[in-house]
């Protein structure tokens, strides 16, 4: 929840309230210039033949139960409601504290998720597993987007126990599930060692940002593109997408990194194309949008928050001026315990017509909220739209001239995908999930949401359980469509 009052004023955005090696495979073998992959082995489970057979049998039984559950939901659906195409459980034996879930990444007719030490690809239409790739160690970071041709680079741990460090990279072809290059990068100094990596993909470049620097590699072959840049201001995270925009922090005499900047950087060379200096004491929290450029800023000591808009050339454009006391966004910094990407938030988006944000429901007992549109030039509110009674709307993106939003499920009410025109009005359902499956839909924990090809995808952002084995039975993914 973001409790804020946004105040205008001369570019000060105040808010009062409540960041070249040889190829090797994922089995941990490395080239001559690489360190060995981490210990820790593959994700849990029994290694003997009988144990594996028991696990396969149990997995088959759970899959059958899920198919029956989806069939039951569909048998009771009402006219106009979409089908529950398939449901999926966690299916992986996890450590005591559970695991973050990365993705989903949708490549052609395959949807991919990554969790703990496994990356898995499934058929979009029926949920059939197409491939599964075991990694040499636990995942600790991932970009929000893959490359245009379906490749991604994942952050994984090296070392073991308390000495384990998030300092290794594994490229994966999401089309085939094949592992590509693997390599490690150096983390130097206290600030770097304590920083949580933020990864992004821009074209054929993957960046791994930390508080004191960013390292960039070519996705296709792992070649080092750039590292520490000239000067005392270093990028600590990028936003994925066609334009490489970064958040940078500056090391002062006090070594406090309290001066920050927004930079546009050439993702191939590391050349800085422009810089915007943020007022001292404010920190760059998230990139809500890259085109137009919308930046979330925070002042932690005073619990202040603000939203800044920049022009394409890095000059000041406007700031949001809101009259609602609370706004709701769901970002990696809120959801994940590791690998906090600076982009990919649910609940906020932007296009050439405005910035769109969800409000926090006024009552904890009533999840009804509003979607607020802000003018790009003035930062002022243009319109507000109410969500359906008892449900919450979260903006996702603008497509084909309409704002697409996720509608959360409620007791006896299915969720789905809704839309609004740039002028506001009453939300219209694009895809309505069946009310008969509302209880199952509400089992997804703080779900990440994707909508493509007329299908919606819900993926739990984290899987865990109270008793051993609970995490294997927890719902991890649901797909809806007609």
């Amino acid at each position: 929840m973001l409790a804020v009052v946004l105040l205008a004023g001369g570019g000060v955005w105040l808010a009062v309230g409540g960041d070249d090696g040889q190829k090797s495979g994922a089995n941990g073998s490395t080239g001559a210039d690489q360190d060995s992959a981490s210990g820790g082995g593959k994700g849990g489970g029994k290694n003997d033949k009988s144990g594996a057979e028991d696990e396969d049998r149990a997995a088959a039984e759970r899959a059958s139960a899920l198919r029956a559950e989806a069939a039951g939901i569909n048998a009771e659906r009402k006219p106009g409601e979409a089908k529950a195409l398939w449901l999926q459980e966690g299916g992986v034996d996890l450590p005591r504290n559970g695991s973050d879930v990365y993705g989903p990444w949708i490549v052609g007719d395959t949807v991919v998720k990554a969790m703990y030490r496994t990356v898995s690809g499934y058929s979009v239409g029926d949920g059939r597993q197409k491939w599964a790739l075991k990694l040499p160690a636990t995942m600790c970071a991932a970009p929000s987007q893959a490359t245009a041709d379906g490749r991604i680079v994942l952050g994984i741990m090296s070392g073991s126990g308390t000495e384990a460090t998030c300092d290794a990279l594994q490229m994966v072809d999401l089309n085939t599930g094949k592992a590509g290059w693997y390599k490690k990068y150096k983390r130097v100094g206290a600030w770097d060692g304590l920083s949580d990596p933020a990864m992004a993909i821009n074209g054929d470049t993957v960046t791994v940002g930390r508080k004191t620097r960013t390292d960039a590699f070519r996705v296709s072959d792992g070649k080092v593109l750039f590292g520490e840049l000239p000067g005392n201001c270093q990028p600590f995270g990028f936003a994925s997408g066609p334009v490489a925009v970064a958040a940078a922090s500056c090391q002062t005499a006090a070594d406090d990194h309290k001066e920050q900047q927004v930079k546009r950087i050439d993702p191939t060379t590391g050349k800085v194309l422009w810089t915007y200096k943020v007022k001292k004491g404010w920190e760059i929290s998230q990139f809500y949008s890259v085109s137009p450029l919308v930046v979330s800023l925070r002042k932690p000591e005073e619990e202040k928050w603000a939203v800044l808009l920049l022009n394409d050339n890095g000059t000041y454009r406007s700031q949001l001026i809101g009259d609602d006391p609370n706004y709701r966004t769901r970002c990696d910094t809120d959801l994940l315990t590791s690998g906090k990407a600076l982009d990919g938030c649910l609940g906020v988006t932007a296009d050439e017509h405005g910035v769109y944000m969800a409000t926090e429901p006024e009552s904890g007992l009533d999840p009804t909220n509003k979607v607020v549109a802000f003018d790009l030039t003035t930062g002022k509110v243009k319109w507000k739209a109410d969500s359906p009674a008892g449900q919450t709307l979260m903006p996702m993106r603008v497509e084909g001239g309409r704002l697409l939003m996720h509608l959360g499920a409620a007791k006896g009410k299915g969720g789905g995908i809704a839309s609004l025109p740039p002028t506001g009005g009453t939300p219209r359902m694009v895809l309505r999930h069946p009310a008969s499956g509302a209880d199952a839909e509400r089992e997804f924990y703080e779900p990440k949401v994707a909508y493509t090809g007329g299908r919606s995808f819900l993926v739990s952002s984290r899987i865990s359980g109270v008793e051993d084995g609970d995490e294997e039975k927890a719902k991890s993914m649901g797909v809806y469509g007609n």
Side-chain angles (χ1 to χ4, degrees):
M1 180 179 76
L2 300 173
V4 354
V5 177
L6 298 174
L7 308 176
V12 180
W13 321 282
L14 302 179
V16 182
D19 152 328
D20 302 329
Q22 299 175 25
K23 295 184 179 181
S24 64
N27 60 4
S29 60
T30 60
D33 68 335
Q34 299 165 333
D35 296 323
S36 62
S38 96
K42 298 180 179 180
K46 302 175 182 178
N47 293 319
D48 62 280
K49 185 176 180 180
S50 61
E53 290 174 348
D54 288 343
E55 290 181 351
D56 291 343
R57 187 180 302 109
E61 290 174 353
R62 292 197 301 269
S64 178
L66 286 171
R67 286 194 294 270
E69 182 177 0
I73 291 171
N74 293 332
E76 297 180 21
R77 67 192 181 103
K78 301 172 184 177
E81 293 180 339
K83 295 179 181 178
L85 295 179
W86 49 275
L87 302 171
Q88 184 188 97
E89 294 177 338
V92 177
D93 186 17
L94 299 175
R96 182 184 301 273
N97 295 325
S99 173
D100 301 322
V101 182
Y102 300 93
W105 303 288
I106 300 169
V107 182
D109 62 353
T110 303
V111 56
V112 181
K113 71 172 184 181
M115 181 173 64
Y116 189 43
R117 297 176 178 176
T118 304
V119 190
S120 306
Y122 305 88
S123 167
V124 164
D126 60 12
R128 175 182 53 84
Q129 187 174 91
K130 291 186 168 185
W131 53 261
L133 174 66
K134 293 289 185 180
L135 298 174
T138 304
M139 274 172 286
C140 51
S144 63
Q145 299 179 25
T147 63
D149 61 357
R151 286 177 290 185
I152 201 161
V153 179
L154 303 172
I156 60 176
M157 305 292 287
S158 73
S160 60
T162 58
E163 301 299 318
T165 305
C166 187
D167 64 355
L169 302 173
Q170 177 67 63
M171 192 270 273
V172 179
D173 186 332
L174 301 181
N175 298 282
T176 64
K178 301 296 185 183
W181 55 267
Y182 168 97
K183 67 170 38 182
K184 294 179 65 178
Y185 58 93
K186 292 183 179 180
R187 302 190 67 168
V188 180
W191 281 105
D192 191 353
L194 294 173
S195 297
D196 199 23
M199 297 184 68
I201 283 182
N202 304 104
D204 194 28
T205 298
V206 60
T207 50
V208 188
R210 289 96 67 207
K211 196 69 174 180
T212 56
R213 65 179 288 158
T214 286
D215 289 298
F217 306 86
R218 199 155 58 197
V219 176
S220 54
D221 60 9
K223 175 181 169 58
V224 175
L225 297 176
F226 61 87
E228 185 174 352
L229 302 181
N232 70 324
C233 297
Q234 299 294 321
F236 62 85
F238 284 67
S240 291
V243 177
V245 176
S249 64
C250 305
Q251 181 176 337
T252 66
D255 195 27
D256 56 10
H257 295 275
K258 289 186 178 179
E259 295 181 10
Q260 297 201 350
Q261 302 173 345
V262 180
K263 294 177 178 288
R264 181 170 178 181
I265 296 177
D266 185 310
T268 303
T269 65
K271 179 181 179 181
V272 176
L273 304 179
W274 56 252
T275 297
Y276 182 90
K277 294 182 179 181
V278 175
K279 187 175 177 64
K280 189 172 182 178
W282 287 87
E283 298 180 357
I284 300 166
S285 175
Q286 295 284 158
F287 291 111
Y288 286 158
S289 170
V290 171
S291 182
L293 184 49
V294 184
V295 188
S296 171
L297 303 173
R298 292 182 182 273
K299 200 170 189 179
E301 294 86 352
E302 302 176 28
E303 295 186 339
K304 294 180 179 179
W305 172 66
V307 179
L308 163 71
L309 283 76
L310 299 180
N311 293 306
D312 290 342
N313 62 359
T315 57
Y316 174 80
R317 185 173 188 176
S318 66
Q319 65 195 56
L320 298 194
I321 306 169
D323 56 1
D324 277 280
N326 301 308
Y327 292 90
R328 166 183 283 192
T329 61
R330 190 189 299 163
C331 305
D332 272 6
T333 48
D334 305 318
L335 298 175
L336 296 175
T337 58
S338 61
K340 295 173 171 59
L342 297 187
D343 59 345
C345 295
L346 182 65
V348 58
T349 192
D351 71 348
E352 68 272 19
H353 299 294
V355 179
Y356 312 94
M357 295 189 70
T359 67
E360 189 75 22
E362 294 183 7
S363 167
L365 299 176
D366 181 6
T368 307
N369 74 331
K370 300 179 186 292
V371 172
V372 182
F374 298 87
D375 185 89
L376 294 175
T377 302
T378 66
K380 295 181 179 180
V381 174
K382 295 170 60 179
W383 51 258
K384 300 179 183 180
D386 293 321
S387 68
Q391 295 180 269
T392 303
L393 279 174
M394 298 286 277
M396 298 169 59
R397 69 176 187 273
V398 178
E399 181 178 276
R402 59 182 179 173
L403 172 64
L404 296 178
M405 303 164 290
H406 173 241
L407 178 67
K411 187 174 179 61
K413 298 179 179 180
I417 306 298
S419 71
L420 278 168
T423 53
T426 301
R428 299 182 61 181
M429 294 305 298
V430 177
L431 189 73
R432 186 183 297 277
H433 298 172
S436 54
D439 289 345
E441 192 174 346
R442 295 170 71 194
E443 291 182 35
F444 294 101
Y445 175 75
E446 297 287 5
K448 299 180 181 182
V449 186
Y451 175 72
T452 184
R455 298 182 178 95
S456 60
F457 301 78
L458 303 184
V459 178
S460 290
S461 59
R462 186 169 180 83
I463 298 290
S464 61
V466 177
E467 301 292 336
D468 186 35
D470 284 355
E471 72 278 10
E472 296 185 59
K473 295 176 285 187
K475 284 195 172 58
S476 65
M477 190 185 306
V479 180
Y480 303 82
N482 292 305

